[in-house]
Amino acid sequence: MKEILVTGSNGQLGSEIRQLEKQYPGFSFTYTDVDELDLTDEKAVYDFLKNGQFDFCINCAAYTAVDKAEDDRELARLINATAVEYLTKACNAHNTYLVHISTDYIFDGTNYRPYVETDPPSPNSYYGLTKHEGEKAVEKFAGSSLIIRTAWLYSSFGNNFVKTMLRLGKERDALGVVVDQIGSPTYAGDLARAILDILCGKKIKQGVEIYHYSNEGVISWYDFARAIMNESGTDCKINAIESKDFPAKANRPFYSVLNKTKIKKDFGLEIPYWLDSLKHVLGQLKNK
Ligand SMILES: NC(=O)c1ccc[n+]([C@@H]2O[C@H](COP(=O)([O-])OP(=O)(O)OC[C@H]3O[C@@H](n4cnc5c(N)ncnc54)[C@H](OP(=O)(O)O)[C@@H]3O)[C@@H](O)[C@H]2O)c1
């Protein structure tokens, strides 16, 4: 039996891992969030890993409030970068293989084709900057580790674009949604399954490896909002607007499509199409 520690496990990704637990009988899971293990407490992190004897740690913890991070810089850096350094060092000291999650926001979004893992990071928001610092900490201090960059995460758990659209769609007749930011939505349950499948297999490489994972397909937030309304039968018109007409505190990449060839090739993954996964989650939300 392999022991897995899941940190930040009350969030979207952590909650989806919990849902899949029974499908992976070869793993024994320990779940923590900030109340049980605050990753910004270096000694607590070191001690927790020392006592637990974990084979793997999946780090789902993060400061994910992109706009708030522009003002709340100290805390964003503490959680997304400093705490990642603590966790990486503890994993390395106790022979725990770290799976760390990062983001498309480490790129500035000026590319003309899907980002590959070797494209140079150039974050244009403070959240992106701190997540990139987290990646660098893993690269510097990990013996062996997997960094998985993902994008536009949503789930029936937590707060996300899908749930916001469903709520606003009930309250309003029409909504403006940006049409000039392009990416790939990702159901956190699909990412959770991909991570557990990877850890089940025997294809993990030594050293630190970066991979990209999102659902298949490329759309704008406008397209996504329209699909959410159509598929949920919500009668709300979606109007296409430009980012300049929807001012936000943080910059966001205009184009953040991730190339997933490496993760598919190395681990033989089949990645679901975004619309199929959206339908699945809308079904879950209907039954909640
Ligand atoms: N959400 C997205 O659209 C998106 C896109 C790309 C990449 N990602 C990355 O994907 C990963 C998972 O994202 P997610 O959406 O599942 O995040 P999430 O729902 O915001 O969950 C993060 C969890 O980490 C916890 N946490 C915060 N500070 C902590 C600390 N000091 N110690 C331990 N736990 C702490 C949070 O608790 P509180 O809620 O109490 O703060 C929360 O339960 C993150 O690395 C994120 O950067 C997310």
Side-chain angles (χ1 to χ4, degrees), residues 7-16 32-41 45 59-66 75 78-80 83-84 100-105 127 131 148-155 157-161 186 188 191 213 221 258:
T7 53
S9 66
N10 293 344
Q12 299 191 83
L13 180 59
S15 300
E16 293 289 353
T32 63
D33 206 281
V34 65
D35 287 346
E36 301 81 29
L37 178 59
D38 179 350
L39 296 182
T40 65
D41 181 340
V45 172
N59 182 25
C60 306
Y63 184 106
T64 54
V66 176
L75 187 60
L78 185 63
I79 296 170
N80 289 343
V84 176
H100 177 66
I101 312 301
S102 192
T103 171
D104 55 335
Y105 280 28
Y127 165 75
K131 290 294 291 183
I148 301 181
R149 295 180 184 140
T150 190
W152 296 26
L153 217 54
Y154 70 94
S155 156
F157 301 97
N159 295 315
N160 52 62
F161 183 80
T186 307
L191 174 59
Y213 184 97
W221 289 111
L258 300 174

Coordinates of all heavy atoms in Angstrom, one line a residue, residues 7-16 32-41 45 59-66 75 78-80 83-84 100-105 127 131 148-155 157-161 186 188 191 213 221 258, ligand 1:
T7 N -2.3 17.8 0.4 CA -2.3 19.1 1.2 C -3.3 20.0 0.4 O -3.5 19.9 -0.8 CB -0.9 19.7 1.2 OG1 -0.4 19.8 -0.1 CG2 0.0 18.8 2.1
G8 N -3.9 21.0 1.2 CA -4.9 21.9 0.6 C -6.1 21.1 0.1 O -6.7 21.5 -0.9
S9 N -6.5 20.1 0.9 CA -7.4 19.1 0.3 C -8.9 19.5 0.4 O -9.7 18.8 -0.1 CB -7.2 17.8 1.1 OG -7.6 17.9 2.4
N10 N -9.2 20.7 1.0 CA -10.6 21.1 1.0 C -10.9 22.0 -0.3 O -12.1 22.4 -0.4 CB -10.9 22.0 2.2 CG -10.8 21.2 3.5 OD1 -10.8 19.9 3.4 ND2 -10.7 21.8 4.6
G11 N -9.9 22.2 -1.1 CA -10.2 23.0 -2.3 C -10.8 22.1 -3.4 O -11.2 21.0 -3.2
Q12 N -10.8 22.7 -4.6 CA -11.5 22.0 -5.8 C -10.8 20.7 -6.1 O -11.4 19.6 -6.2 CB -11.4 22.9 -7.0 CG -12.2 24.2 -6.9 CD -12.3 24.9 -8.3 OE1 -13.2 24.5 -9.0 NE2 -11.4 25.8 -8.6
L13 N -9.4 20.8 -6.3 CA -8.7 19.6 -6.7 C -8.6 18.6 -5.6 O -8.9 17.4 -5.8 CB -7.3 20.0 -7.2 CG -6.4 18.9 -7.6 CD1 -7.0 18.2 -8.8 CD2 -5.0 19.4 -8.0
G14 N -8.4 19.0 -4.4 CA -8.3 18.1 -3.3 C -9.6 17.4 -3.0 O -9.6 16.2 -2.8
S15 N -10.7 18.1 -3.2 CA -12.0 17.5 -3.0 C -12.3 16.4 -4.1 O -12.9 15.4 -3.8 CB -13.1 18.5 -3.0 OG -12.9 19.5 -2.0
E16 N -11.8 16.7 -5.3 CA -12.0 15.7 -6.4 C -11.2 14.5 -6.1 O -11.6 13.3 -6.4 CB -11.7 16.3 -7.7 CG -12.7 17.4 -8.1 CD -14.1 16.9 -8.5 OE1 -14.3 15.7 -8.6 OE2 -14.9 17.8 -8.8
T32 N -5.1 16.8 4.4 CA -4.9 18.0 5.3 C -5.3 19.2 4.6 O -5.1 19.3 3.4 CB -3.4 18.1 5.8 OG1 -2.6 18.4 4.7 CG2 -2.9 16.9 6.5
D33 N -5.8 20.2 5.3 CA -5.9 21.6 4.8 C -5.2 22.5 5.9 O -4.6 21.9 6.8 CB -7.3 22.0 4.5 CG -7.4 23.0 3.4 OD1 -7.2 24.2 3.8 OD2 -7.6 22.7 2.2
V34 N -5.4 23.7 5.8 CA -4.7 24.7 6.6 C -4.9 24.4 8.2 O -3.9 24.6 8.9 CB -5.0 26.1 6.3 CG1 -6.4 26.5 6.5 CG2 -4.0 27.1 6.9
D35 N -6.0 23.9 8.6 CA -6.3 23.7 10.0 C -5.4 22.5 10.5 O -5.0 22.5 11.7 CB -7.8 23.3 10.2 CG -8.6 24.6 10.1 OD1 -8.1 25.7 10.1 OD2 -9.9 24.4 10.0
E36 N -5.2 21.5 9.7 CA -4.4 20.3 10.2 C -2.9 20.5 9.9 O -2.1 20.1 10.6 CB -4.9 19.0 9.5 CG -6.3 18.6 9.6 CD -7.3 19.4 8.7 OE1 -6.9 19.8 7.6 OE2 -8.4 19.6 9.2
L37 N -2.6 21.1 8.7 CA -1.2 21.4 8.4 C -1.1 22.7 7.6 O -1.4 22.7 6.4 CB -0.7 20.2 7.5 CG 0.7 20.3 7.1 CD1 1.7 20.5 8.2 CD2 1.1 19.1 6.2
D38 N -0.7 23.7 8.3 CA -0.5 25.0 7.6 C 0.9 25.0 7.0 O 1.9 24.9 7.7 CB -0.6 26.1 8.7 CG -0.4 27.5 8.1 OD1 0.0 27.6 6.9 OD2 -0.6 28.5 8.8
L39 N 0.9 25.0 5.7 CA 2.1 24.8 4.9 C 3.1 26.0 5.1 O 4.3 25.9 4.8 CB 1.9 24.6 3.4 CG 1.1 23.4 3.1 CD1 1.0 23.3 1.6 CD2 1.8 22.1 3.6
T40 N 2.6 27.1 5.7 CA 3.5 28.2 5.9 C 4.3 28.0 7.3 O 5.1 28.9 7.6 CB 2.8 29.6 6.0 OG1 1.9 29.6 7.1 CG2 2.0 29.8 4.7
D41 N 4.0 27.0 8.0 CA 4.7 26.7 9.2 C 5.8 25.6 8.9 O 5.5 24.4 8.9 CB 3.7 26.1 10.3 CG 4.3 25.8 11.6 OD1 5.5 25.6 11.7 OD2 3.5 25.8 12.6
V45 N 5.5 21.4 8.9 CA 5.6 20.7 7.7 C 6.6 19.6 7.8 O 6.4 18.4 7.4 CB 5.9 21.6 6.5 CG1 6.1 20.9 5.2 CG2 4.7 22.6 6.3
N59 N 0.4 18.4 -3.7 CA 0.2 19.7 -3.1 C -0.9 20.4 -3.9 O -0.7 21.0 -4.9 CB 1.4 20.5 -3.1 CG 1.2 21.8 -2.4 OD1 0.3 22.0 -1.6 ND2 2.0 22.8 -2.8
C60 N -2.1 20.4 -3.3 CA -3.3 21.2 -3.9 C -3.5 22.5 -3.3 O -4.4 23.3 -3.6 CB -4.6 20.4 -3.7 SG -4.5 18.7 -4.3
A61 N -2.6 22.8 -2.3 CA -2.8 24.1 -1.5 C -2.3 25.3 -2.4 O -1.3 25.1 -3.1 CB -2.0 24.1 -0.2
A62 N -3.0 26.4 -2.3 CA -2.5 27.6 -3.0 C -3.3 28.8 -2.5 O -4.4 28.6 -2.0 CB -2.6 27.4 -4.5
Y63 N -2.7 29.9 -2.8 CA -3.5 31.2 -2.7 C -4.0 31.4 -4.1 O -3.2 31.7 -5.0 CB -2.6 32.3 -2.3 CG -3.3 33.6 -2.0 CD1 -3.5 34.1 -0.8 CD2 -3.7 34.4 -3.1 CE1 -4.2 35.3 -0.6 CE2 -4.4 35.6 -2.9 CZ -4.6 36.1 -1.6 OH -5.3 37.3 -1.4
T64 N -5.3 31.3 -4.4 CA -5.8 31.3 -5.8 C -6.6 32.5 -6.1 O -7.2 32.5 -7.2 CB -6.6 30.0 -6.0 OG1 -7.7 29.9 -5.0 CG2 -5.8 28.8 -6.0
A65 N -6.8 33.5 -5.2 CA -7.6 34.7 -5.5 C -6.7 35.6 -6.3 O -5.9 36.4 -5.8 CB -8.0 35.3 -4.2
V66 N -6.9 35.5 -7.7 CA -5.9 36.2 -8.6 C -6.0 37.7 -8.4 O -4.9 38.4 -8.4 CB -6.3 35.8 -10.1 CG1 -5.4 36.6 -11.0 CG2 -6.1 34.3 -10.2
L75 N 1.0 37.6 1.6 CA 0.3 36.3 1.9 C 0.4 35.4 0.6 O 0.6 34.2 0.7 CB -1.1 36.4 2.4 CG -1.8 35.2 2.8 CD1 -1.1 34.5 4.0 CD2 -3.3 35.4 3.2
L78 N 3.8 34.0 0.4 CA 4.0 33.1 1.5 C 3.5 31.7 1.2 O 4.1 30.7 1.4 CB 3.4 33.6 2.8 CG 3.7 32.8 4.1 CD1 5.2 32.8 4.4 CD2 2.9 33.4 5.3
I79 N 2.2 31.7 0.7 CA 1.6 30.4 0.4 C 2.1 29.8 -0.9 O 2.3 28.6 -1.0 CB 0.0 30.6 0.4 CG1 -0.5 31.0 1.8 CG2 -0.7 29.3 -0.1 CD1 -1.9 31.4 1.8
N80 N 2.2 30.6 -2.0 CA 2.5 30.0 -3.3 C 4.0 29.8 -3.6 O 4.3 29.1 -4.5 CB 1.9 31.0 -4.4 CG 0.4 30.9 -4.4 OD1 -0.2 30.0 -3.9 ND2 -0.2 31.9 -5.1
A83 N 5.9 28.6 1.2 CA 5.4 27.3 1.7 C 5.8 26.2 0.8 O 6.0 25.1 1.3 CB 3.9 27.4 1.9
V84 N 5.8 26.4 -0.5 CA 6.2 25.4 -1.5 C 7.7 25.0 -1.2 O 8.0 23.8 -1.3 CB 5.9 25.8 -2.9 CG1 6.4 24.8 -3.9 CG2 4.5 26.1 -3.1
H100 N 3.4 18.8 -7.5 CA 3.0 20.2 -7.2 C 2.2 20.7 -8.4 O 2.5 20.5 -9.6 CB 4.3 21.0 -7.0 CG 4.0 22.4 -6.8 ND1 3.3 22.9 -5.7 CD2 4.2 23.5 -7.6 CE1 3.2 24.2 -5.8 NE2 3.7 24.6 -6.9
I101 N 1.2 21.5 -8.1 CA 0.3 22.0 -9.2 C 0.6 23.5 -9.4 O 0.7 24.3 -8.5 CB -1.2 21.9 -8.8 CG1 -1.5 20.5 -8.2 CG2 -2.1 22.2 -10.0 CD1 -1.2 19.3 -9.2
S102 N 0.8 23.8 -10.7 CA 1.0 25.2 -11.1 C 0.0 25.6 -12.1 O -1.0 25.0 -12.3 CB 2.5 25.4 -11.5 OG 2.8 26.8 -11.6
T103 N 0.3 26.7 -12.8 CA -0.8 27.4 -13.6 C -0.3 27.9 -14.9 O 0.8 28.2 -15.1 CB -1.3 28.6 -12.7 OG1 -2.2 29.4 -13.5 CG2 -0.2 29.5 -12.2
D104 N -1.3 28.1 -15.8 CA -1.1 28.7 -17.1 C -0.7 30.2 -16.9 O -0.1 30.8 -17.8 CB -2.3 28.6 -18.0 CG -3.6 29.2 -17.3 OD1 -3.6 29.2 -16.1 OD2 -4.5 29.6 -18.0
Y105 N -1.0 30.8 -15.7 CA -0.8 32.2 -15.5 C 0.7 32.5 -15.3 O 1.1 33.7 -15.1 CB -1.6 32.7 -14.3 CG -3.0 33.0 -14.6 CD1 -3.7 32.3 -15.6 CD2 -3.8 33.9 -13.9 CE1 -5.0 32.6 -15.9 CE2 -5.1 34.2 -14.2 CZ -5.7 33.6 -15.2 OH -7.0 33.8 -15.5
Y127 N -0.2 36.9 -8.8 CA -0.5 35.5 -8.6 C 0.4 34.6 -9.5 O 1.1 33.7 -9.0 CB -2.0 35.2 -8.9 CG -2.3 33.7 -9.1 CD1 -2.4 32.9 -8.0 CD2 -2.6 33.2 -10.4 CE1 -2.8 31.5 -8.1 CE2 -2.9 31.8 -10.5 CZ -3.0 31.0 -9.4 OH -3.3 29.7 -9.6
K131 N 3.3 31.9 -8.3 CA 3.2 30.5 -8.7 C 4.5 30.1 -9.4 O 5.0 29.0 -9.2 CB 2.0 30.3 -9.5 CG 0.7 30.4 -8.8 CD 0.4 29.3 -7.8 CE 0.3 27.9 -8.4 NZ 0.0 26.9 -7.3
I148 N 2.8 20.0 -12.4 CA 1.7 20.0 -13.4 C 1.1 21.3 -13.5 O 0.5 21.8 -12.5 CB 0.7 18.9 -13.1 CG1 1.3 17.5 -13.0 CG2 -0.4 18.9 -14.2 CD1 0.4 16.4 -12.7
R149 N 1.2 22.0 -14.6 CA 0.6 23.2 -14.9 C -0.8 23.0 -15.5 O -0.9 22.2 -16.4 CB 1.3 24.1 -15.8 CG 2.7 24.5 -15.3 CD 3.4 25.4 -16.4 NE 4.7 25.7 -15.9 CZ 5.8 25.8 -16.8 NH1 5.7 25.4 -18.1 NH2 7.0 26.1 -16.3
T150 N -1.8 23.6 -14.9 CA -3.2 23.4 -15.4 C -3.8 24.8 -15.6 O -3.2 25.8 -15.3 CB -4.0 22.5 -14.5 OG1 -5.2 22.2 -15.1 CG2 -4.3 23.1 -13.1
A151 N -5.1 24.8 -16.0 CA -5.7 26.1 -16.4 C -7.2 26.0 -16.2 O -7.8 25.0 -16.3 CB -5.5 26.4 -17.9
W152 N -7.8 27.2 -15.9 CA -9.3 27.4 -15.9 C -10.0 26.2 -15.1 O -10.9 25.6 -15.6 CB -9.8 27.4 -17.3 CG -9.4 28.6 -18.1 CD1 -8.2 29.3 -18.0 CD2 -10.1 29.2 -19.3 NE1 -8.2 30.3 -19.0 CE2 -9.3 30.2 -19.8 CE3 -11.3 28.9 -19.9 CZ2 -9.7 31.0 -20.9 CZ3 -11.7 29.6 -21.0 CH2 -10.9 30.7 -21.5
L153 N -9.6 26.0 -13.9 CA -10.1 24.8 -13.1 C -11.5 25.1 -12.6 O -11.8 26.1 -12.2 CB -9.1 24.6 -12.0 CG -8.8 23.2 -11.5 CD1 -8.2 22.4 -12.6 CD2 -7.8 23.3 -10.3
Y154 N -12.3 24.0 -12.7 CA -13.7 24.1 -12.1 C -14.1 22.8 -11.6 O -13.5 21.7 -12.0 CB -14.7 24.7 -13.1 CG -15.0 23.7 -14.2 CD1 -16.1 22.9 -14.1 CD2 -14.2 23.7 -15.3 CE1 -16.4 22.0 -15.2 CE2 -14.5 22.8 -16.4 CZ -15.6 21.9 -16.3 OH -15.8 21.0 -17.2
S155 N -15.1 22.8 -10.8 CA -15.5 21.5 -10.1 C -16.9 21.8 -9.5 O -17.4 22.9 -9.5 CB -14.5 21.2 -9.0 OG -15.0 20.4 -8.0
F157 N -17.2 21.4 -6.5 CA -16.8 21.9 -5.2 C -16.1 23.3 -5.3 O -15.6 23.6 -6.4 CB -15.7 20.9 -4.6 CG -16.2 19.5 -4.4 CD1 -15.9 18.6 -5.4 CD2 -17.0 19.2 -3.3 CE1 -16.4 17.3 -5.2 CE2 -17.4 17.9 -3.1 CZ -17.1 16.9 -4.1
G158 N -16.2 24.1 -4.3 CA -15.5 25.4 -4.3 C -16.2 26.4 -5.1 O -17.3 26.2 -5.7
N159 N -15.5 27.5 -5.3 CA -16.0 28.6 -6.1 C -15.3 28.6 -7.5 O -14.1 28.5 -7.5 CB -15.9 29.9 -5.4 CG -16.7 30.0 -4.2 OD1 -17.8 29.6 -4.2 ND2 -16.1 30.4 -3.1
N160 N -16.0 28.8 -8.5 CA -15.4 28.8 -9.8 C -16.3 29.5 -10.9 O -17.5 29.8 -10.5 CB -15.0 27.4 -10.3 CG -16.2 26.5 -10.2 OD1 -17.2 26.7 -10.8 ND2 -16.1 25.5 -9.3
F161 N -15.8 29.6 -12.1 CA -16.6 30.3 -13.2 C -17.9 29.7 -13.4 O -18.9 30.3 -13.6 CB -15.7 30.3 -14.4 CG -16.3 31.1 -15.6 CD1 -16.2 32.4 -15.6 CD2 -16.9 30.4 -16.6 CE1 -16.7 33.1 -16.7 CE2 -17.4 31.1 -17.7 CZ -17.3 32.4 -17.8
T186 N -10.8 23.2 -17.5 CA -10.3 21.9 -16.9 C -11.2 21.5 -15.8 O -11.2 22.2 -14.7 CB -8.9 22.0 -16.5 OG1 -8.1 22.6 -17.6 CG2 -8.3 20.7 -16.1
A188 N -11.6 19.7 -12.5 CA -10.6 19.3 -11.5 C -10.7 17.7 -11.3 O -9.7 17.1 -10.9 CB -10.9 20.0 -10.2
L191 N -8.4 16.2 -13.8 CA -7.0 16.3 -13.4 C -6.6 15.4 -12.2 O -5.6 14.8 -12.2 CB -6.7 17.8 -13.0 CG -5.4 18.1 -12.4 CD1 -4.2 17.8 -13.4 CD2 -5.3 19.6 -12.0
Y213 N -1.4 20.1 -18.3 CA -2.7 19.4 -18.3 C -3.8 20.3 -18.3 O -4.0 21.1 -17.4 CB -2.8 18.4 -17.2 CG -4.1 17.5 -17.3 CD1 -4.0 16.3 -17.8 CD2 -5.3 18.1 -16.9 CE1 -5.2 15.5 -17.9 CE2 -6.5 17.3 -17.0 CZ -6.4 16.0 -17.5 OH -7.5 15.3 -17.7
W221 N -13.8 32.6 -22.7 CA -14.7 32.6 -21.6 C -16.1 32.8 -22.1 O -17.1 32.3 -21.5 CB -14.3 33.7 -20.6 CG -13.0 33.5 -19.8 CD1 -11.9 34.1 -20.0 CD2 -12.8 32.5 -18.8 NE1 -10.9 33.6 -19.1 CE2 -11.5 32.6 -18.4 CE3 -13.6 31.5 -18.2 CZ2 -10.9 31.8 -17.4 CZ3 -13.1 30.7 -17.2 CH2 -11.8 30.8 -16.8
L258 N -2.5 25.4 -23.2 CA -1.4 24.5 -22.9 C -1.3 23.4 -23.9 O -2.3 22.7 -24.1 CB -1.5 24.0 -21.5 CG -1.6 25.1 -20.4 CD1 -1.9 24.4 -19.0 CD2 -0.3 25.9 -20.3
Ligands
LIG1 N1 -8.6 27.6 -9.8 C1 -8.0 27.7 -11.0 O1 -8.7 28.2 -11.9 C2 -6.6 27.2 -11.3 C3 -6.1 27.4 -12.5 C4 -4.8 27.0 -12.7 C5 -4.0 26.4 -11.7 N2 -4.6 26.3 -10.5 C6 -3.8 25.6 -9.4 O2 -4.4 24.4 -9.1 C7 -4.2 24.1 -7.7 C8 -5.5 23.7 -7.1 O3 -6.3 24.8 -7.3 P1 -7.8 24.8 -6.6 O4 -8.7 25.6 -7.5 O5 -8.2 23.4 -6.2 O6 -7.5 25.7 -5.3 P2 -8.5 26.1 -4.1 O7 -9.9 25.5 -4.4 O8 -8.3 27.5 -3.9 O9 -7.9 25.2 -2.9 C9 -6.7 25.6 -2.3 C10 -6.7 25.1 -0.9 O10 -5.5 25.4 -0.3 C11 -5.8 25.8 1.0 N3 -4.7 26.6 1.6 C12 -4.5 27.9 1.6 N4 -3.5 28.3 2.3 C13 -3.0 27.1 2.9 C14 -1.9 26.9 3.8 N5 -1.1 27.8 4.3 N6 -1.7 25.6 4.2 C15 -2.5 24.6 3.7 N7 -3.6 24.8 2.9 C16 -3.8 26.1 2.5 C17 -7.1 26.6 0.8 O11 -7.7 26.9 2.1 P3 -8.6 28.3 2.2 O12 -9.7 28.2 1.2 O13 -9.0 28.3 3.6 O14 -7.6 29.4 1.8 C18 -7.9 25.7 0.0 O15 -8.6 24.7 0.7 C19 -3.5 25.3 -7.1 O16 -2.1 25.1 -7.1 C20 -3.8 26.4 -8.1 O17 -2.8 27.4 -8.1 C21 -5.9 26.7 -10.2

